[in-house]
Amino acid sequence: GEAAEVARGLLAGPGVGEEVRNLATVAEALAVAARARMESRGSHARRDFPEPDPALRARLVLSRAGSPDPRH
C-alpha cells in the first residue's frame, strides 16, 4: 500500500518528467498487483499468504506479434 501511495505522489507532483511518470506508473501497477496476489511464490512471499496456491500455477509466454519463435 505504501509503495503505491509513493508512486501516486510522484505522478501528482508538479513538473514530473516523462521518464519519472513512466517509472511511477509501472511502480504503482506492480504494487497494486502484489497487494492483490493471495499467495506466496518463490521469493515473492507474503506473511498473510505464506504458501503458493496450486490453482494459480501457470506458465505465461508472451511474444512479439508476428514472431515465429515465442522466445522473441
Side-chain angles (χ1 to χ4, degrees):
E2 289 179 44
E5 287 299 318
V6 169
R8 284 186 203 109
L10 287 171
L11 290 169
V16 173
E18 185 176 347
E19 184 174 357
V20 170
R21 186 179 321 283
N22 290 342
L23 292 169
T25 299
V26 171
E28 180 185 15
L30 254 118
V32 169
R35 186 80 168 149
R37 181 176 34 82
M38 294 187 190
E39 66 161 352
S40 289
R41 178 102 24 214
S43 63
H44 302 275
R46 290 190 55 166
R47 281 181 255 147
D48 50 350
F49 298 102
E51 298 298 322
D53 183 348
L56 298 176
R57 187 174 177 100
R59 182 173 299 258
L60 300 175
V61 177
L62 303 175
S63 67
R64 290 185 287 185
S67 174
D69 186 344
R71 294 173 294 172
H72 296 108

